[in-house]
Amino acid sequence: MSLWQRPLKRLQAMSYDKMLRIYAEHGTYRFRLNSLKGFVSLFLVGTVLSVALAACSGGGTGSNASSETPSAAPVAATKDNVELTLVSFAVTKAAHEAIIPKFVEQWKKDHNQTVVFKQSYGGSGSQTRAVIDGLEADVVHLALAGDTSKIEKAGLIQPGWEKEVPNNGIVSKSVAALVTRPGNPKNIKTWEDLSKDGIKLITADPKTSGVARWNFLALWNSVIKTGGDDAKATEFVTKVYKNVPLLTKDAREATDAFFKQGQGDALINYENEIILAEQKGEKLTAIVPDVNISIDNPIAVVDKNVDKHGTREVAEGFVKYLYTPEAQQEFAKLGFRPVDDTLTLSKEVADKFPKVKTLGTVADFGGWDGINKKFFADGAIFDRIQAKKK
C-alpha cells in the first residue's frame, strides 16, 4: 500500500462527524504545512471530507442532483411532512396534548407543512439520561434547568440555550402541594406535620425524578425561609424521609401509588397535578402551603439532533409557540402557573391559583449546580439521609 493509500484508507473508515472534528481542529492552524506529512494529511482530510459531504447530500449526476450547496442533513423545510420528537417530564403530558394540535394547525397555516410529533414522557432525570444515551429528542421540556444543563454538558445543546427564548428558558411553572386522604384524618396542614410520628408520605425519588428534587427543596426551603439553618433543615428533612415508605421512579408513579393503590397519608406533588385530577372529577383534599418553592421548568432545542434531522426551524417554532398567550392559556387551564405575570387569565382559571406568601427560588440556593452538588450528588445530603433509614 502506497504512502497516499494508507492514510486515505484510514480517513475513509472514519465517521463523518470525526472527519469534521479533525478538519475543524487541525485544518486551520495545527498542521505544519511546511512539512510534507502535514500537507498530505490536510489534503487528504479535505478531499475525503468533500466526498463525504457530497455523499450525505445525495449529490450525483442523476435526475435528483441538486445545484444547491450540499447539506449534511435533509432540510425539513423542503418536505411536506416533518417529524419532531418531544421529550418531556411526566406531568406535562396533558398540557402538551392540548397544545400540540394548536401548534400543528398554526404551522400548517403559516408554512403549508404538516408536523407529526413523537412524544416521550417520564421522570425528568430518566428522560435526561435517555437523551444523553441516544434518544434523539429535537426538543426537551424538563422539570429543572439542571437536567437541561446535563444535556448541554454532554455536547448536545449549545451553551446559552436559556437566552434563546423568553424568561431564561422557563416555559412552565408550578408550586408544591400537599394532598391528604379525604377529610384529612391525620390533620396534615403544614410541611412540619409531615415529620410527625405515624405519618406516611408518598413522594418520588430525587435520583430519578426532577419533581422529587423540587419536593425535597420545598421541604428544605420551608425551614430556611422561616429562620432555620442548614442543621435544622437537615434534621427536619431526615425526619420527613423516615416517614416515606417507598420512593417511586417519577411523579406519575407517586400519584398512582397514593390514589390507585391507597398507599400513604399524604402526597407531595405539583399543584398542577392536583388541579388536573380535580378537572377529571376526583375530589381531593389539598393544601398549597404559604411557604413554598417556585417550580420552574425549562424548554430547549437539542442543537445536535435538530441539525442532524434538519428540523431546527420547526423545533424553534414550537418552542416559541409555547410562550404565546394561546399556549400559556392551555398550560394555565391544566394547572401550570403562567410564566408571564402580565398574561390575563380568565377569572375561572386565575382562581385555581392560591396566593403564596413566601416563595423560594433555585437562585436562593445557588442555582442547580450548587443544589445538585450539595443535595443530590452521590454521598451528598440526600444519600446520607437515606442511609440513616437503613
Side-chain angles (χ1 to χ4, degrees), residues 175-335:
V175 294
L178 294 175
V179 189
T180 69
R181 294 298 172 191
N184 196 6
K186 296 293 183 76
N187 198 31
I188 299 168
K189 296 180 179 180
T190 67
W191 297 114
E192 186 177 2
D193 292 333
L194 298 177
S195 66
K196 294 179 179 177
D197 292 340
I199 299 295
K200 290 185 178 180
L201 171 69
I202 302 299
T203 183
D205 187 346
K207 291 288 190 176
T208 57
S209 167
V211 176
R213 294 195 179 196
W214 287 114
N215 293 351
F216 183 98
L217 283 180
L219 292 165
W220 189 274
N221 178 74
S222 71
V223 176
I224 301 300
K225 290 293 185 183
T226 52
D229 57 12
D230 278 10
K232 287 190 175 296
T234 301
E235 180 183 4
F236 168 70
V237 175
T238 299
K239 288 181 180 179
V240 171
Y241 276 88
K242 282 183 178 179
N243 288 340
V244 177
L246 79 161
L247 291 168
T248 63
K249 183 178 66 176
D250 59 37
R252 181 66 64 201
E253 287 189 6
T255 301
D256 288 346
F258 184 78
F259 288 110
K260 295 181 180 180
Q261 300 168 23
Q263 299 188 52
D265 304 303
L267 168 76
I268 307 178
N269 213 333
Y270 280 8
E271 176 190 48
N272 63 278
E273 279 286 89
I274 310 309
I275 292 172
L276 181 61
E278 290 174 338
Q279 289 176 351
K280 292 180 177 179
E282 297 181 31
K283 297 186 180 299
L284 304 179
T285 303
I287 306 103
V288 175
D290 287 341
V291 180
N292 219 303
I293 191 84
S294 181
I295 299 173
D296 301 330
N297 319 131
I299 192 89
V301 169
V302 185
D303 295 289
K304 185 173 183 179
N305 292 340
V306 297
D307 289 340
K308 176 181 179 181
H309 303 155
T311 53
R312 178 174 289 279
E313 182 184 7
V314 67
E316 290 179 346
F318 176 64
V319 169
K320 290 177 181 177
Y321 182 80
L322 294 180
Y323 287 93
T324 64
E326 293 79 11
Q328 285 293 308
Q329 284 278 6
E330 293 300 327
F331 275 122
K333 287 177 185 177
L334 291 163

Side-chain angles (χ1 to χ4, degrees), residues 19 30 37 52 56 83 119 125 127 144 183 190 206 238 244 300 307 311 326 343 360 375 384 390:
M19 283 189 285
R30 288 190 182 176
K37 183 179 179 181
C56 288
E83 184 176 88
Q119 302 169 61
Q127 295 290 74
L144 41 92
T190 67
T238 299
V244 177
D307 289 340
T311 53
E326 293 79 11
L343 181 64
F375 297 116
R384 295 198 294 269
K390 297 176 181 179

Side-chain angles (χ1 to χ4, degrees), residues 50-74:
S50 297
V51 173
L53 280 167
C56 288
S57 66
T61 58
S63 60
N64 292 328
S66 171
S67 61
E68 296 178 356
T69 302
S71 172

